[in-house]
């Protein structure tokens, strides 16, 4: 969490961070005291160390989808940057935030993702739909860090996602199916891009700290 918050502050020092703190799942109740200690440390940091970080605490296990629905009430901007707790942004490569915002404000994008590998893997190339400037169109949804509009998330993403679930697990299939069924018209429904600067020579703008420690998703 420290590393992820520092990476956000590096790029966007004046932006508020809303930190979602989930409740424990039933099979993790033996970690109750450990998790309370973790939450106490996080809340101490929010009060004394972090700047402009708002913690939202969920007493019951709510997961990404249920927490996201509750978080909309606290977002006062038209855009939001969604970042999972173990997926910091890189700090050794630049991100042109103004160019990203312009693409969205012009209506050409709903979402721009920041890739966690230096190039697009060969097995993902069939979901890439053309380069335009510093961006590449894609039909591949991922929950890696992404800049998006709050309106798109509220009106299109979250209505498709079950309660207490990973957003990506459902929405990856929604976006890909819309493209496969309807071609470019299906893509325009989502207007999803990957930040692709310098003609793709090194597009890595995020990385993974593996918060699960190699374990499978609990849903698996």
């Amino acid at each position: 969490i420290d590393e992820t918050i520092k990476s956000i502050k590096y790029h966007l020092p004046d932006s508020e961070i809303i930190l979602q703190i989930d409740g424990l799942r039933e099979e993790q109740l033996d970690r109750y005291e450990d998790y309370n200690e973790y939450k106490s440390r996080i809340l101490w940091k929010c009060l004394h160390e972090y700047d402009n970080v708002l913690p939202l605490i969920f007493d019951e296990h709510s997961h990404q989808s249920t927490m996201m629905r509750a978080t909309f009430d606290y977002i006062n901007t038209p855009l939001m940057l969604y970042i999972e707790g173990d997926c910091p942004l890189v700090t050794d490569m630049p991100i042109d935030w103004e160019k990203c915002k312009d693409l969205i404000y012009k209506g050409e994008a709903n979402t721009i993702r920041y890739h966690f590998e230096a190039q697009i893997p060969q097995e993902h190339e069939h979901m890439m739909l053309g380069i335009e400037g510093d961006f590449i169109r894609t039909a591949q949804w991922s929950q890696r860090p992404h800049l998006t509009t709050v309106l798109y998330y509220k009106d299109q993403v979250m209505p498709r996602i079950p309660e207490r679930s990973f957003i990506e697990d459902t929405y990856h299939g929604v976006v890909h199916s819309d493209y496969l069924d309807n071609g470019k018209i299906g893509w325009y429904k989502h207007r999803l891009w990957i930040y692709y600067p310098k003609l793709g020579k090194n597009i890595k703008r995020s990385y993974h700290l593996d918060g699960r420690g190699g374990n499978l998703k609990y849903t698996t």
Side-chain angles (χ1 to χ4, degrees):
I1 296 296
D2 279 338
E3 192 166 336
T4 300
I5 288 177
K6 286 178 183 177
S7 78
I8 298 167
K9 291 297 185 182
Y10 175 85
H11 287 278
L12 302 166
D14 299 323
S15 292
E16 181 179 53
I17 296 173
I18 300 175
L19 182 62
Q20 298 168 330
I21 303 176
D22 202 0
L24 276 176
R25 303 195 303 271
E26 185 175 352
E27 70 272 17
Q28 293 179 312
L29 290 179
D30 62 315
R31 304 297 303 278
Y32 181 80
E33 291 184 5
D34 293 335
Y35 193 51
N36 278 345
E37 173 64 20
Y38 166 80
K39 288 192 291 186
S40 293
R41 294 183 185 186
I42 288 290
L43 293 174
W44 188 92
K45 286 173 176 285
C46 289
L47 284 170
H48 302 291
E49 183 176 323
Y50 301 149
D51 179 50
N52 208 15
V53 176
L54 174 68
L56 296 184
I57 301 173
F58 295 82
D59 293 332
E60 297 181 352
H61 174 57
S62 301
H63 214 332
Q64 285 184 346
S65 59
T66 303
M67 289 194 296
M68 192 64 241
R69 290 184 177 96
T71 300
F72 287 132
D73 291 340
Y74 298 88
I75 302 175
N76 300 311
T77 53
L79 304 184
M80 68 178 192
L81 179 66
Y82 190 109
I83 297 186
E84 294 178 319
D86 61 350
C87 294
L89 299 169
V90 302
T91 56
D92 59 347
M93 296 292 287
I95 297 174
D96 192 330
W97 296 103
E98 292 303 315
K99 188 173 288 187
C100 293
K101 289 189 291 183
D102 285 346
L103 192 71
I104 293 175
Y105 285 140
K106 287 189 296 185
E108 296 179 21
N110 287 328
T111 303
I112 300 168
R113 187 167 78 250
Y114 301 97
H115 211 261
F116 74 106
E117 293 176 301
Q119 282 86 36
I120 302 293
Q122 185 175 359
E123 59 269 25
H124 294 169
E125 288 181 358
H126 69 284
M127 293 182 283
M128 304 300 139
L129 309 175
I131 301 168
E132 188 170 320
D134 284 341
F135 305 93
I136 185 169
R137 291 181 183 86
T138 182
Q140 180 203 25
W141 181 272
S142 169
Q143 214 59 25
R144 299 290 184 179
H146 52 280
L147 183 68
T148 187
T149 74
V150 177
L151 187 64
Y152 174 69
Y153 245 71
K154 288 177 71 173
D155 289 355
Q156 293 199 52
V157 179
M158 298 315 302
R160 309 293 292 272
I161 311 300
E163 293 291 334
R164 296 180 176 85
S165 65
F166 287 104
I167 295 170
E168 177 185 82
D169 285 0
T170 297
Y171 212 64
H172 177 276
V174 170
V175 173
H176 198 210
S177 293
D178 281 345
Y179 170 69
L180 291 178
D181 294 342
N182 302 286
K184 199 167 187 178
I185 291 175
W187 177 85
Y188 268 104
K189 182 177 179 180
H190 303 284
R191 300 178 196 184
L192 174 61
W193 301 76
I194 293 172
Y195 188 55
Y196 199 80
K198 303 293 184 183
L199 296 176
K201 291 182 180 178
N202 181 4
I203 63 171
K204 183 184 178 77
R205 293 299 184 275
S206 67
Y207 58 103
H208 190 205
L209 296 171
D210 191 14
R212 284 192 298 270
N215 292 326
L216 295 174
K217 289 181 180 181
Y218 90 96
T219 48
T220 309

